Amino acid sequence: MNRRHFCRTAVAASVAAAIPMLPGCERKAPVATDADTSLAAVSLNGAEIELEKAAIRELGDSLTGPVILSGHPDYDSARKLWNGMHDRRPTLIARCMSTADVSKVVTFARERQILTAVRGGGHSWPGKSMCDDGLVIDLSQMHTVTADAGKRRAYARGGALLSGLDAAALEHELVTTAGVVSHTGVGGFTLGGGLGRLNRKYGLAIDNLRSAEIVTADGMARRVSDEQDADIFWAIRGGGGNFGVVTEFEYELHPFDRNVFSGSLVWPVAQARDVLEFYGEWYPGLSDEMYAGPAMVTLPDGTGAVVLEVVFNGDPALGEAELEPLRKIGTLMDDSVKIQDYSVMQTQEDVAFGPGIRSYVKSGMVSEISQGLVDAMIESYTSDPRLAMFTHTLGGAVKRVGELDTAFPHRNAEMMIGVGGGWHDPLDDESGIALSRQWYSGLEPFIGGYYDNIDFDGTAAKGNYGPAYARLSKIKGQVDPGNLFRLNSNVEPA
Ligand SMILES: Cc1cc2nc3c(=O)[nH]c(=O)nc-3n(C[C@H](O)[C@H](O)[C@H](O)COP(=O)(O)OP(=O)(O)OC[C@H]3O[C@@H](n4cnc5c(N)ncnc54)[C@H](O)[C@@H]3O)c2cc1C
């Protein structure tokens, strides 16, 4: 079976030119005309406010990048997010090119109390990086990643994508933990924790973060690390975008042979019980090098399948030996596990999850692959080619970090389980969402925490942060008492 085919089914002008014209727009706020001296926007608490055109012009003149308003040729592309379900119309989008730009825009937003979103890679499932009638700090052009092979470090700007992080590191036979779809932004990914195929060996993305440059609500740019502003550094490792705009992430890199033993094992869903029960027994003995997460999908011809995605980060012969008992379970429909370039796995879902797809997902953490969970996986399985149940394998190095050493407290979780999917027709939204929720509800009794990065409803903020919430709230109260950065998995300032 063609792996790509399977995957597709698996889930599926500058401000100076723009401002003087101030063209009309279709958003909810009153339409601006050339005669108006201000633009309507919303405040942090939802009240309607007026933004002086002269002030916007002044902001635009002070930035290296453009301020994009409705009617600007780039307005529609700039407000698009990865998830096609979101169609938001901000009053202004400040496309930042530098940390200094970000500082100026943060100050502008705070002084006027404008509802503010921060856009990194734009992959937020609930669309939190875009807003209606507010201001967007757009980092998409701050996307370079450089690597220092001698120091084994990568430096990613706040709007970089995982593809850039992987490429910069791999060029030097180095790597760090990145997620499974390469057009995801490093920003939201890292700030939420960052699960990836190498996390059992190297830990989460946050476990590899050595420092960051962040612009806090006061407009100040600071370098935070274990040595400097350690509270903020602790908070951004799992606490999301609550504490400011990160303009640069510094990651530790690890020596890496990019020819990895990797691919997928696929069985008919009728064999799910044999596969998942064996997996439950096999899993506790996994080496740190082995990442192997089960998924349940429906192929285009309607065949249900259980898939095990494998990446072995070590000697392929050892990987072969470790995987062998699983290969002997039941009758495989497909076995594509072989030595191949790491980037094949890291990009194989890019097309299936391409920008503009309409997508819904829910996820949670499980600390044990129990018989009850296996039963629930089998009983809740829903045959629908738009949907899938998928997992991220944790444990290993992830588990060896203390529960409150970072703001990501799910260190005892063995696995993240997600249910969701993607489609293109808006008419599919209702049934796609309802079926995903129903499927997930079958697994929910086994969930012991939430990973808000992979959750459309974003209703799990406190559960997401668990015992880290109290300290997060205290730090939030110190660095963002007015909750300027609220369009995220929000922590209320203490
Ligand atoms: C197809 C797909 C695959 C995914 N795979 C994985 C995976 O393998 N592992 C995993 O852990 N997660 C995964 N995720 C979840 C992903 O980590 C989150 O969606 C994450 O928020 C995306 O970050 P972003 O910068 O692209 O998003 P954005 O939409 O730009 O931002 C998301 C949130 O982070 C904030 N933010 C972004 N950048 C910054 C910044 N520089 N400074 C301050 N705040 C910022 C935004 O304000 C917003 O609240 C995946 C998501 C998708 C859609």
Side-chain angles (χ1 to χ4, degrees), residues 475-492:
I475 298 168
K476 175 83 172 173
Q478 287 157 2
V479 296
D480 184 16
N483 205 0
L484 177 65
F485 301 111
R486 62 179 60 199
L487 294 178
N488 42 48
S489 182
N490 199 231
V491 172
E492 285 169 27

Side-chain angles (χ1 to χ4, degrees), residues 9-75:
T9 66
V11 189
S14 76
V15 69
I19 286 180
M21 293 174 65
L22 290 171
C25 62
E26 297 73 44
R27 63 188 164 77
K28 285 182 264 161
V31 172
T33 69
D34 283 355
D36 292 331
T37 56
S38 60
L39 287 179
V42 290
S43 73
L44 287 171
N45 60 18
E48 193 168 304
I49 52 174
E50 296 288 322
L51 297 179
E52 294 294 313
K53 286 180 187 172
I56 299 176
R57 195 175 295 125
E58 206 178 300
L59 173 70
D61 287 345
S62 75
L63 301 181
T64 325
V67 170
I68 299 169
L69 307 178
S70 174
H72 187 285
D74 293 338
Y75 180 74

Side-chain angles (χ1 to χ4, degrees), residues 120 132 145-146 193 241 348 385 394 403:
D132 277 322
V145 186
T146 54
Q348 68 175 2
L394 302 174
E403 189 185 41

Side-chain angles (χ1 to χ4, degrees), residues 92-268:
L92 63 159
I93 301 172
R95 189 161 266 177
C96 298
M97 309 298 279
S98 66
T99 301
D101 279 0
V102 173
S103 290
K104 287 172 194 161
V105 182
V106 166
T107 301
F108 180 90
R110 190 200 64 248
E111 286 175 352
R112 289 163 184 79
Q113 292 288 290
I114 314 166
L115 181 67
T116 300
V118 179
R119 185 202 191 278
H123 273 46
S124 162
W125 249 290
K128 287 184 173 162
S129 41
M130 198 54 58
C131 57
D132 277 322
D133 304 318
L135 180 157
V136 176
I137 299 175
D138 179 352
L139 305 174
S140 62
Q141 301 308 301
M142 292 175 62
H143 55 65
T144 51
V145 186
T146 54
D148 182 329
K151 289 187 180 159
R152 290 192 186 159
R153 291 285 191 271
Y155 304 89
R157 297 179 86 198
L161 304 183
L162 297 180
S163 52
L165 181 58
D166 270 346
L170 289 171
E171 195 186 329
H172 301 285
E173 297 181 353
L174 296 168
V175 81
T176 197
T177 303
V180 302
V181 172
S182 85
H183 41 70
T184 306
V186 302
F189 167 79
T190 304
L191 296 168
L195 322 181
R197 295 179 174 117
L198 303 179
N199 62 34
R200 287 178 56 81
K201 178 84 174 165
Y202 303 128
L204 304 173
I206 51 169
D207 301 331
N208 292 283
L209 194 65
R210 293 294 160 258
S211 79
E213 182 185 66
I214 183 168
V215 176
T216 41
D218 55 6
M220 194 176 138
R222 321 158 186 239
R223 172 68 52 177
V224 298
S225 66
D226 272 334
E227 287 75 44
Q228 230 173 312
D229 276 320
D231 271 350
I232 301 178
F233 187 55
W234 176 85
I236 64 169
R237 285 176 291 160
N242 274 287
F243 304 91
V245 184
V246 176
T247 48
E248 187 186 84
F249 296 89
E250 178 191 355
Y251 300 94
E252 180 171 355
L253 302 177
H254 310 274
F256 185 64
D257 181 349
R258 58 190 294 165
N259 298 304
V260 284
F261 180 67
S262 58
S264 296
L265 302 180
V266 184
W267 295 266

